[in-house]
Amino acid sequence: DHSLAHKQSQKNLAKAGIKPTENTLGDEIKSISEKASAELSGKSGKDFDRAFVESQIRMHRQVLDTVDT
């Protein structure tokens, strides 16, 4: 969960007078996150754990790939 980091970054941006804008990368990340949540909602126990870890790996790899480009 990155909620605290997100809140802090929003606070820092506001303090610096920077207003974030919507962009395709943000939209893509939201879409992937919503898809992962939907996939996890029907799972429990070991199936949930495995799906959760796999989704986190997939999402974090995508972020790292984006940062590297």
Side-chain angles (χ1 to χ4, degrees):
D1 182 17
H2 298 287
S3 323
L4 184 59
H6 180 70
K7 287 178 184 178
Q8 186 63 46
S9 68
Q10 294 297 319
K11 182 179 173 182
N12 291 338
L13 289 170
K15 186 176 179 181
I18 300 169
K19 183 175 180 177
T21 59
E22 294 293 322
N23 58 56
T24 57
L25 178 58
D27 293 341
E28 189 174 335
I29 291 171
K30 285 179 194 175
S31 175
I32 291 168
S33 179
E34 290 169 358
K35 181 180 176 187
S37 292
E39 290 174 358
L40 294 173
S41 68
K43 299 188 183 306
S44 63
K46 290 181 181 181
D47 290 336
F48 174 88
D49 293 344
R50 183 179 310 276
F52 176 78
V53 169
E54 288 173 354
S55 71
Q56 289 297 300
I57 291 169
R58 186 172 52 249
M59 286 191 288
H60 284 84
R61 278 187 179 153
Q62 183 170 7
V63 170
L64 292 172
D65 289 344
T66 301
V67 170
D68 287 342
T69 57

